[in-house]
Structures are given as C-alpha cells and as structure tokens.
Amino acid sequence: MANMWLCFLLLICIHNTGKIVADSTYLIGLGSYDITGPAADANMMGYANTEQIASGVHFRLKARTFIVAEPGGNRVVLVNLDACMASQLVTIKVLERLKSRYGDLYNEKNVAISGIHTHAGPGGYLQYVVYIVTSLGFIKQSFDVLIDGIEKSIVEAHENLRPGDIFVNKELLEASINRSPSAYLNNPPAERSQFKYNVDKEMTLLKFVDGEWGPVGSFNWFATHGTSMSRTNSLISGDNKGAAARFMEDWAEQNGYPKQTDSAYPDTITSGIGQKVLHRRISIIIPQPDDKSSELMQLASSFLASGGRLLSSTGRISQRVRDTQAGKPKFVSAFCQSNCGDVSPNVLGTFCIDTGLPCDFNHSTCNGKNELCYGRGPGYPDEFESTRIIGERQFSKAVELFDSASELVKGKIDYRQTYLDFSNLEVTLLSSNGSQGIVKTCPAAMGFAFAAGTTDGPGAFDFKQGDVKGNAFWKVVRNALKTPSRDQVTCQQPKPILLDTGNMQVPYAWAPSILPIQIIRIGQVVILCVPGEFTTMAGRRLRDAVRAILTRDGNGEFGSNVHIVIAGLSNTYSQYVTTFEEYEIQRYEGASTLYGPHTLSGYIQEFEKLASALLEGKNIETELQPPDLLSKQIGFLPPVVMDTTPMGVKFGDVLTDVSENSTFHPGDLVTATFWSACPRNDVLSEGTFSLVEMLDSGSNWIAAYDDDDFCLRFKWSRPAKLSSRSHATIEWRIPETVVAGVYRLRHFGASKSLLGKISHFTGTSRAFVVL
C-alpha cells in the first residue's frame, strides 16, 4: 500500500512538472555578481580626466546576466555591466572561460556583453592605447574583477535555468535631452518631421516570470548617458542606471519577488513624490520605540568605539544587508544602454558657470571657451541628487512597465554575429535617382572637436565643438605623434584629424579596426548589439533598416508587433556613430565617429545582411578575428607597497568619531573617520567597506545599510600623496524610511605589510541615536 501511494505522489509531481514546462515558453536563468573593482588610485573610465582618480564607493557595481533558451534548442546570453562599456579583451577572455567550462554551448555568436556607460567606474580594462592612456595603461585588477564577475554571473544564471515566460512592454519616459541639438538639426527636415522629439524617449522592458517562483527579473533599454555624476566625482558609482537597478531590486524584495522568497521589506513606504521606496529589513526585527529618547541615549552611551581588530578570516567581512538565499532565485534587474550618443541626463540644459547664461548653441562655449559650459542635472548643483532623480525616473517607469506587461514574448531564439574590418569596409550607397556608388570607411581617427569634450564633461585648452578646420599649433603636436596621410585626410573630411589612431601602432594598436556586430532574437524582440554609441537619429535609421528587412521578407514571422532595440556599447568599444549629416557639423560625436562619414551606412549595410541571414536560416562566415593584445599590455600604476598607522594606533581605530551623546534625524548626515589601508589590497567583491548597524532588543548588532545603499558613502584618502597611511570616512545620509533606534558605523578593510601579507580588519564608531 505504501508503495502504491508513493507511485501516486510521484505521478502527481511528474504531472505538475510537465504542466510547468508545457505552459512555459522558454527556459530562463538570471544571475548577478559584484564587479566594483579597485576603489583607490585607479583612473575612472569615461571622461578621460587624468585627475579623476577613484577614492571610495558611492554604491557597488554589478554584472547582471539573463539566459533565455528554447528547451533543447538555441539559447542566448545577455550580460549587462555596471561599467562604462564592454571591452574586446574582456569579451575574448570571458568566452575562453565559458568554452573551458561549457564547451561550445556559449560563444561569440550567442553571448552579448554590454555596458551601462557609467563614467564613475575604474578604467584600465580595455586593450587599445587611446582608451587607457589616462589610467596609466592597463590595470590588471580592474580587468580581472570584470572577468571573474561576468563569469560568475553567467554561471549563476546557467545553474538557475528553469521554465518561464517573458513579457514585453514599452512607454515614453522623460529623463533625457539632446546635448548636440545643432548637429541633430542638420538631419533632413523631412526625416526630423517624423519624430516628435530629438531624442528617443521610449523605454522597452522585458519581464521574466519563473514558472514556479513568479516574477524574477527585468531587462530594459533606454537611451541616456551615464553622466549624472560629474568629471570631478571620485566615488565608484553606477550613475543613474546603476541606481535605477539598485532601486528596482530593492523594490522587488520589498514586494516579495520572487514570490516564495522571504520578503525583507513587508511594508511599503511612500515617499513625498508618491514612489515606493525600500523599507529596511530590520523593521521586522526591531519594534519602533515609543517616546523613549532618553532611554535610547543611555543605551547608546554604553557602546563606545570598538577600536580596530583583526579578522581571522575574510569570510567575516561579508556582513552585507542583501545576502543571496541558497536554493532560491534572487530578483535581477538590468537597466541597459541604447543609442545614447547625443543624449544627456542633464535635463536642465547647458549654462556658463561664469555668467549663468545659456551656452553658445552651435559650439557649446562661453566667450569662446568650452571649459565653462556645463550641463545641469535636475538636482543641480548636487550631482548625487541628479543621479538619484534620473535613476528614480527610470526605476519608476520600469515598475509601471513591469506591472502592466501583458504581451507574451513567443517564437524562435536565434542569433547572427560577424566581425568586420571597419578600417576599409566597402559600402554601397544608393543615390536619389537610384544609381549605386561605392564608398569606403576609413582607418580610425579622432577630430579636433573630440578634445573639446561635451557639455556633460568639457575638455580643456582652446578646442571647441563644431571645429571643421583645426588649429595650426595642435597640428604640429599631432604630427609629432603621427602625421595623417593625404588619403586619410581626404577619407575623413570634413573632420580635421587630431589623432590618427587607426594608423598608430606603438607600442601596440591605439584603436580597434575589427569590430563585432550581432543580432539576437527572442521571439518578436530583436536586439541589435553595436560596439559603440549611436546618436539618436543614427539609431533610428539602423532600427528602421532592420525592421524593413524583417517585415518585408519574414514569411509572416515578424509583423507590426516586432520590437527592435539597440544595445549600445556591446562586446567591444569604438566610440561614436553619427549620421552623415551630423558628421558634417563635427560636434563631439562627429569628431569621435572613428571610421569617417560613411560609418553609419556601413553598419546599416552589414546589419541588413545579418537580418537577411537570420530570416533565411543562413550562417554568416568570416575569417576575421579581433586581436588578443593581453600579452602586449603595459601598466604604470604602481602597486601598493605597504600600509602603516602611527605608533600605538591599529587599523580600524577611529580617527574622528561621532559626537558623544548624539541624536540624529532623517536627513541628517552622520560621519566617522577610521585609520585604514588601501582598498586595492582586497576589493571585497560581494563584501562591503562600510556598514551601518542597528542594535536589536537582544543587544545584537544587525546590518542595516552597506556599500550597495545610495544613502551610504565610503570615502578613502591619504594624508599626503605618497603616504603609506590612509583614512576611511563613512558618511550616512539618514533616509526618511529609517527605523528609530541605536546605530553605529562599521568599517572593513585589508592592510598590506612590507612583506606582502594581507590582513583584514574592522572597527566601529561609538553608538548614536536616530529618532
């Protein structure tokens, strides 16, 4: 009888499992991992500002991976990085690791890696000279952290593959402006009249629903630059898109997604702007005190600063707020970049910092100087507030799309990918009378307006945007590096060449020539993975060209409901892509369009070929492969020699403590400074440098806020440039949703001895009261 009941239960389980598989469209798997990297000494990637050196953490960076597979069929991998852009060398090495682990299951054709374009992450991880000059060359630590984090996020997603569905939704969002409107206006009036805005305001979101656990993640594309944080910021940050991802993952946990995971935030708190914000997990552990401020003050006074102490194992430093629960999926939300080339999050416009007047429209200068013209974010003059606002706008729209998503994604999983030599690509152009002509792209070169920078991050000296002539002095300087040939000058016209990077090979290549392009299909969603920053109109033209191919010849596979998105900064990086007309104006984006005026036409031609191959089931074969320049990399960032403290002082001791008998309220700033060591000794991946702890009713300290929280900042500094001593300052801006009680600040770090031994330490401030 027992055996009969066992068989009956087994049949029920098999039936239910089969129902999940039968009712689900795909297999889906999600994963994420820390890629924060060195929080000290490393130059940040994006602004090319030699003085922008990392010295702390605003909030941590992540690699987020989504795998979608047909049961027994094709699969694709989408990886989104809280990094400035993807790197060809990083992509090569990740694919090598995947091959050693999974064979040919994952490869360059079905794996896409893109960056969100934050300008506040460590640099030095790209392989071409021009992109690592300001970081003193290659930084292996930045590179290794990215490789490890991407691989681990993919492994986690692979191991989480389960039956599920995907839904798609899209809507307009106000979080961007065009930073080069004079170039946009050079596009044909008839073309511009088709669009209401001079930027793409549409967000497209994919909602991932596990067959058992319910909603488990989201993936969206929206075009706006990661430049809410300025060129003077020195704290590692995911900028507005990284913030949006953090907000949405906390919102999901607050709302109990995935549905069988214990909710850390059972209560919903609404902010003054009507948005749901996270409620700390400690609120379910510690009751709100009644009016017992005097008792709390007395309790807090009994907890003095702990003094620094060594940790016996590195595992003890991972006292994070958000811990993954084994055996249960975690919610993963990615906010991806699109055709952001001329799109800025600094939505208040551009103004001269000396007069407060608007900048010159055509050149973005103030009395002829580009250095004085800056864009203003919505939180001006507070860049952290601008980051929060633009991040919250994207987060709020993503929540709306997530909640209302009803269009089921269904159909084939497929992909096509190829490599192209953009230094000499033949492009067939059609004239208005229908005749054909052959043009070519050029070896990479950057124009004079490149050095002028943008209104998000102006350049220096006497460069300005819109320069089609150049400057005699800087031409002499240029010629000392490399004099461009007559053919190159003609090919790149009207761009005056400042750096002939495509023909500079000492000590190794300065710029890429072989680039990947890739199409990924998930049902009616088609993702165009491009290795650069397309401007608004350039992206529109590319999408329209691919849409025409798919809907013209698709045997009914694609109709009016096809969703085509551009995944910018994917797989490698090759700067900007403008339209032919925008290129003529030579704003920053045109000067940074490396391969000449026909670059966009080349992309459109080759993507049309990929789209046709996708429809016809044909493979694209090429013998081209990007170079692996790892063995040639040179880095001049000196290593950490040793860390020291004054006599009688331990690592983790408090230098400047919270004031004695302090009481704080929401909105107040609490700070403490500790004797510390260089964060490069251990980047504490999946750990934290700073922690806010709260005392529970049983005299236990509970982790409340960590490096992942927007309200907590870790700042690191040396008292002198070459000093072996250093300080860590923790700043906690108390959020409105705080739970009243007794708190303290804690610092974690790792010191290096003269003999190279790494020792982990911690220390705490004295306790204080929050009411």
Side-chain angles (χ1 to χ4, degrees):
M1 179 64 72
N3 288 338
M4 185 180 74
W5 280 109
L6 181 61
C7 291
F8 178 69
L9 291 174
L10 183 60
L11 285 171
I12 290 176
C13 291
I14 292 173
H15 173 74
N16 289 339
T17 303
K19 186 177 187 300
I20 291 172
V21 174
D23 290 348
S24 298
T25 315
Y26 303 111
L27 298 176
I28 58 175
L30 285 67
S32 66
Y33 201 82
D34 194 334
I35 56 167
T36 302
D41 301 331
N43 182 251
M44 289 182 166
M45 183 64 203
Y47 287 115
N49 176 16
T50 57
E51 297 179 357
Q52 190 189 16
I53 305 298
S55 60
V57 177
H58 178 206
F59 59 91
R60 285 190 166 261
L61 310 180
K62 297 283 187 180
R64 295 176 171 90
T65 294
F66 298 71
I67 299 178
V68 184
E70 295 176 281
N74 288 340
R75 63 179 60 198
V76 292
V77 181
L78 305 174
V79 183
N80 190 53
L81 305 178
D82 286 347
C84 193
M85 67 281 290
S87 155
Q88 193 165 73
L89 188 57
V90 168
T91 301
I92 289 171
K93 296 307 177 184
V94 167
L95 292 174
E96 287 179 0
R97 290 196 182 186
L98 294 178
K99 184 173 180 62
S100 67
R101 185 184 288 270
Y102 299 114
D104 295 328
L105 187 62
Y106 302 115
N107 53 67
E108 70 273 9
K109 297 187 182 301
N110 67 350
V111 175
I113 303 173
S114 64
I116 63 171
H117 210 37
T118 175
H119 286 40
Y125 62 90
L126 290 91
Q127 70 172 351
Y128 296 103
V129 172
V130 75
Y131 305 131
I132 55 176
V133 168
T134 58
S135 62
L136 299 179
F138 189 68
I139 301 177
K140 192 173 185 302
Q141 192 173 41
S142 292
F143 177 76
D144 288 342
V145 166
L146 276 168
I147 300 288
D148 292 341
I150 295 170
E151 181 190 21
K152 287 174 180 174
S153 73
I154 293 174
V155 169
E156 182 177 53
H158 175 85
E159 293 178 349
N160 284 340
L161 273 171
R162 295 162 49 85
D165 290 317
I166 304 172
F167 297 86
V168 61
N169 203 359
K170 59 186 179 183
E171 199 171 286
L172 299 184
L173 165 63
E174 293 287 342
S176 59
I177 62 169
N178 195 304
R179 70 184 186 188
S180 294
S182 61
Y184 180 88
L185 287 173
N186 204 46
N187 291 307
E191 182 180 34
R192 287 188 282 110
S193 67
Q194 300 173 40
F195 305 98
K196 184 177 180 180
Y197 304 106
N198 62 1
V199 293
D200 283 336
K201 293 180 178 288
E202 191 168 75
M203 173 183 282
T204 301
L205 177 138
L206 300 183
K207 175 180 180 177
F208 293 80
V209 180
D210 184 282
E212 179 184 354
W213 296 101
V216 291
S218 64
F219 203 95
N220 74 68
W221 294 267
F222 176 75
T224 193
H225 249 79
T227 49
S228 293
M229 302 295 291
S230 75
R231 67 193 300 272
T232 60
N233 163 64
S234 65
L235 301 185
I236 289 175
S237 173
D239 209 278
N240 55 70
K241 286 190 177 291
R246 178 74 278 151
F247 297 157
M248 189 151 185
E249 288 173 352
D250 280 336
W251 167 86
E253 189 172 358
Q254 166 191 322
N255 284 275
Y257 298 137
K259 65 181 180 183
Q260 293 191 27
T261 302
D262 294 335
S263 175
Y265 314 118
D267 302 318
T268 298
I269 303 297
T270 302
S271 71
I273 55 177
Q275 294 177 332
K276 294 178 180 179
V277 294
L278 66 91
H279 193 290
R280 305 314 308 175
R281 68 176 62 223
I282 53 176
S283 65
I284 64 173
I285 303 173
I286 305 165
Q288 284 273 29
D290 297 324
D291 188 17
K292 298 180 179 179
S293 56
S294 59
E295 293 181 24
L296 290 176
M297 288 286 293
Q298 184 176 359
L299 181 61
S301 66
S302 64
F303 292 94
L304 304 179
S306 68
R309 61 185 177 85
L310 292 177
L311 296 171
S312 58
S313 67
T314 58
R316 296 190 62 189
I317 65 176
S318 298
Q319 299 184 32
R320 296 168 53 79
V321 173
R322 302 166 183 84
D323 292 322
T324 303
Q325 300 182 40
K328 296 183 179 180
K330 59 186 176 186
F331 193 94
V332 180
S333 182
F335 285 71
C336 309
Q337 198 54 268
S338 190
N339 52 319
C340 66
D342 54 357
V343 186
S344 172
N346 296 312
V347 294
L348 298 187
T350 59
F351 297 89
C352 299
I353 59 175
D354 56 343
T355 65
L357 297 175
C359 304
D360 174 79
F361 181 76
N362 291 313
H363 302 289
S364 294
T365 55
C366 301
N367 295 318
K369 295 183 179 295
N370 68 74
E371 301 98 317
L372 301 177
C373 177
Y374 277 88
R376 294 180 179 177
Y380 176 82
D382 186 339
E383 62 189 303
F384 293 96
E385 183 65 3
S386 291
T387 300
R388 183 194 65 79
I389 293 171
I390 297 298
E392 279 198 342
R393 289 183 187 179
Q394 293 177 77
F395 152 65
S396 297
K397 181 58 63 177
V399 169
E400 289 179 26
L401 294 174
F402 186 87
D403 283 343
S404 61
S406 60
E407 182 183 337
L408 181 66
V409 177
K410 54 186 177 181
K412 295 179 183 176
I413 301 293
D414 209 348
Y415 43 84
R416 292 295 183 275
Q417 183 267 358
T418 192
Y419 293 107
L420 302 166
D421 185 353
F422 260 86
S423 69
N424 188 32
L425 181 67
E426 286 193 353
V427 183
T428 301
L429 296 181
L430 288 177
S431 65
S432 57
N433 61 12
S435 60
Q436 292 186 347
I438 303 296
V439 296
K440 287 188 175 182
T441 57
C442 323
M446 297 192 294
F448 273 68
F450 159 79
T454 73
T455 55
D456 290 337
F461 304 110
D462 53 353
F463 296 100
K464 65 180 181 180
Q465 296 191 64
D467 186 355
V468 295
K469 294 181 179 179
N471 172 287
F473 171 77
W474 290 109
K475 286 181 179 178
V476 171
V477 175
R478 171 201 67 190
N479 292 343
L481 292 171
K482 175 69 178 180
T483 303
S485 68
R486 182 175 299 178
D487 287 345
Q488 174 74 321
V489 170
T490 301
C491 187
Q492 292 278 353
Q493 286 181 344
K495 178 198 294 178
I497 297 173
L498 176 64
L499 289 173
D500 189 15
T501 52
N503 291 305
M504 299 168 71
Q505 302 294 326
V506 179
Y508 46 89
W510 279 55
S513 59
I514 298 174
L515 302 177
I517 62 171
Q518 183 181 36
I519 289 183
I520 287 177
R521 175 189 180 181
I522 305 173
Q524 70 268 35
V525 178
V526 177
I527 305 163
L528 311 180
C529 302
V530 299
E533 303 174 58
F534 278 56
T535 61
T536 298
M537 195 64 85
R540 287 168 176 169
R541 290 184 188 177
L542 177 61
R543 290 197 305 264
D544 287 346
V546 171
R547 180 179 289 105
I549 294 292
L550 295 179
T551 56
R552 183 184 66 204
D553 303 320
N555 295 323
E557 284 191 59
F558 295 97
S560 59
N561 70 328
V562 61
H563 303 273
I564 301 177
V565 296
I566 290 176
L569 306 119
S570 292
N571 300 321
T572 190
Y573 184 63
S574 58
Q575 295 176 248
Y576 286 75
V577 180
T578 65
T579 66
F580 180 88
E581 295 82 1
E582 291 165 350
Y583 186 89
E584 289 182 310
I585 300 300
Q586 282 297 294
R587 295 276 301 209
Y588 173 84
E589 295 82 12
S592 303
T593 296
L594 297 184
Y595 308 104
H598 303 296
T599 301
L600 175 60
S601 296
Y603 273 106
I604 290 174
Q605 171 183 282
E606 299 303 317
F607 265 102
E608 287 177 334
K609 292 178 183 178
L610 281 190
S612 295
L614 188 77
L615 286 176
E616 297 166 7
K618 294 181 179 179
N619 293 325
I620 297 288
E621 301 296 338
T622 179
E623 295 182 358
L624 288 175
Q625 289 290 323
D628 179 343
L629 302 178
L630 181 59
S631 63
K632 297 180 180 292
Q633 295 303 310
I634 302 170
F636 295 99
L637 179 66
V640 179
V641 178
M642 64 180 299
D643 298 285
T644 63
T645 59
M647 187 72 69
V649 174
K650 302 186 295 296
F651 291 107
D653 279 356
V654 172
L655 175 65
T656 304
D657 207 347
V658 179
S659 298
E660 190 174 0
N661 297 323
S662 296
T663 299
F664 298 93
H665 301 86
D668 290 344
L669 183 67
V670 185
T671 67
T673 300
F674 300 82
W675 284 99
S676 190
C678 184
R680 284 199 284 152
N681 295 326
D682 188 337
V683 298
L684 301 188
S685 291
E686 296 289 282
T688 187
F689 290 108
S690 51
L691 199 65
V692 176
E693 297 178 317
M694 184 179 183
L695 190 66
D696 71 3
S697 56
S699 298
N700 299 309
W701 290 99
I702 307 298
Y705 301 85
D706 63 17
D707 279 354
D708 264 345
D709 281 289
F710 200 87
C711 63
L712 188 63
R713 300 173 195 170
F714 163 67
K715 296 182 175 181
W716 180 83
S717 63
R718 293 185 178 96
K721 188 172 183 179
L722 299 178
S723 175
S724 60
R725 298 176 181 177
S726 63
H727 306 143
T729 298
I730 297 176
E731 295 182 351
W732 181 36
R733 178 70 64 181
I734 303 175
E736 295 296 325
T737 54
V738 72
V739 174
V742 176
Y743 288 84
R744 68 181 183 184
L745 306 180
R746 178 185 288 275
H747 170 50
F748 294 96
S751 64
K752 184 178 182 180
S753 71
L754 184 60
L755 298 178
K757 181 183 178 182
I758 303 296
S759 302
H760 293 83
F761 62 86
T762 188
T764 68
S765 72
R766 66 163 51 96
F768 53 91
V769 173
V770 175
L771 295 175

